[in-house]
Amino acid sequence: MDQLKLGLPKGSLEKATIELFEKAGWLIKPAARNYFPEIDDPDLNCSICRPQEMSRYVEDGLLDAGITGKDWTMENKSDIVVVCDLVYSKVSRRPTRWVIAVAGDSDIKTIKDLEGKKISTELVNVTKRFFADKNINVNIEFSWGATEAKVVAGLADAIVEVTETESTIRAHGLRIIHELMQSNTQLIANKKAWDDPWKREKIENIALMLQGALNAARIVGLKMNVASDKLDGVVSILPSLNAPTVASLYNQDWYSVETVVSEDIVRDLIPKLKKEGAEGIIEYALNKIIS
């Protein structure tokens, strides 16, 4: 039986990825003592891998596809297929940022002031290429973790670190002087697997469902009944992806109106709909929106 070898990211992205797959239709049960979680799809064979190593495993064919960060694909300069972007993280639905930070009281104000300085980072190759392109000579050292503390302890003049909210950077008294790049999660594939018709279709189906689940984030459905003489007023204030669905009720001078809207406007929209004459208003969650 054909199986697709799929890599799932370990660490900060693991929980968010498993939740995303569940919303997309796959139930993944992590195993407590190994890196091979169960999944309710006989076509898939899952492995948990560090995002930093994922693109290498995919490139080498140890995995057919995997989810990792754009940053680590760039770091490894991996020869793989980027199937699609999946913009999510452990705390938000926005890209992460790799930034250059220094001590809050440092004399370093711009990246040019880093000439001859020591920089600590886990993203060594990308950082080297960045400073080489800027013709700025720096000493870049690999950081095994707790990178923010390197500046505090005087082990480095600056760091290149990933952030979502900047809270950890601020907690260490650091100041951001430059944004190196933005990154997001991606579904990537091995080139040989991508050329296999069965595997490619499976990968594309996974991409479709994952993107559909992300599209539905903070989007809800609204359904209501509206009398015919109130219909134009209700429809005029209804946002929708295209246009609201309007269907006549059986043997009545009433209509059923249905649409999808952003969750953050519902609290203001429903009172307005009620005021315009909508009745029996129902709000319901959405799992997927397929474009």
Side-chain angles (χ1 to χ4, degrees):
M1 181 181 70
D2 287 329
Q3 275 195 322
L4 185 82
K5 295 176 292 185
L6 178 66
L8 303 174
K10 180 177 174 57
S12 62
L13 276 176
E14 184 176 345
K15 184 174 183 290
T17 301
I18 290 174
E19 290 174 351
L20 176 61
F21 267 83
E22 183 174 357
K23 195 172 182 182
W26 284 274
L27 183 61
I28 299 173
K29 295 182 179 179
R33 292 181 175 82
N34 65 50
Y35 293 95
F36 305 99
E38 296 180 11
I39 186 168
D40 63 342
D41 186 342
D43 293 339
L44 294 178
N45 185 341
C46 293
S47 302
I48 300 287
C49 311
R50 296 179 75 239
Q52 294 89 331
E53 301 170 319
M54 186 76 71
S55 62
R56 291 202 299 265
Y57 294 151
V58 171
E59 180 179 24
D60 293 343
L62 298 174
L63 295 169
D64 296 313
I67 291 177
T68 188
K70 174 183 176 182
D71 41 10
W72 299 116
T73 300
M74 293 177 61
E75 174 72 2
N76 298 324
K77 298 189 75 172
S78 301
D79 187 21
I80 45 86
V81 176
V82 177
V83 180
C84 67
D85 290 315
L86 300 167
V87 183
Y88 72 96
S89 65
K90 64 179 178 179
V91 298
S92 69
R93 292 281 192 262
R94 60 176 183 256
T96 55
R97 302 160 55 223
W98 282 90
V99 298
I100 304 173
V102 299
D105 59 356
S106 172
D107 293 333
I108 299 170
K109 305 299 182 185
T110 70
I111 57 174
K112 290 183 179 180
D113 297 332
L114 290 169
E115 177 74 33
K117 303 294 187 182
K118 183 186 295 184
I119 298 175
S120 182
T121 184
E122 192 177 0
L123 199 73
V124 171
N125 294 326
V126 170
T127 303
K128 284 182 177 179
R129 292 195 294 268
F130 172 81
F131 281 101
D133 289 343
K134 301 292 184 182
N135 292 317
I136 300 173
N137 296 311
V138 293
N139 178 18
I140 299 172
E141 293 186 346
F142 178 75
S143 172
W144 291 96
T147 307
E148 293 90 351
K150 302 292 172 63
V151 171
V152 178
L155 300 176
D157 300 294
I159 63 167
V160 172
E161 181 64 326
V162 67
T163 183
E164 291 183 55
T165 65
E166 301 182 17
S167 58
T168 304
I169 287 176
R170 290 196 298 267
H172 283 81
L174 305 185
R175 171 170 46 87
I176 295 173
I177 63 168
H178 192 82
E179 182 177 300
L180 192 73
M181 63 175 285
Q182 291 191 357
S183 181
N184 55 263
T185 47
Q186 294 180 324
L187 176 62
I188 61 174
N190 171 269
K191 286 189 170 182
K192 186 176 180 181
W194 191 245
D195 289 336
D196 179 289
W198 182 88
K199 290 184 177 180
R200 179 167 182 162
E201 183 177 10
K202 187 67 177 179
I203 295 168
E204 289 177 332
N205 288 344
I206 292 171
L208 177 69
M209 301 305 282
L210 292 178
Q211 287 178 311
L214 287 172
N215 289 341
R218 294 193 60 78
I219 302 293
V220 297
L222 285 180
K223 192 171 185 177
M224 66 210 75
N225 292 331
V226 185
S228 60
D229 61 331
K230 305 288 187 181
L231 183 62
D232 288 342
V234 168
V235 170
S236 68
I237 63 172
L238 271 182
S240 62
L241 290 179
N242 294 304
T245 299
V246 178
S248 58
L249 298 182
Y250 177 70
N251 207 25
Q252 294 188 49
D253 198 19
W254 283 70
Y255 292 88
S256 172
V257 180
E258 193 166 4
T259 190
V260 293
V261 298
S262 176
E263 190 177 41
D264 57 6
I265 70 169
V266 170
R267 62 177 179 264
D268 297 320
L269 180 60
I270 287 181
K272 293 177 182 177
L273 292 170
K274 183 69 176 174
K275 199 171 185 179
E276 287 292 334
E279 297 185 12
I281 301 171
I282 299 172
E283 177 186 343
Y284 55 93
L286 301 174
N287 277 335
K288 290 174 279 293
I289 296 178
I290 307 298
S291 302

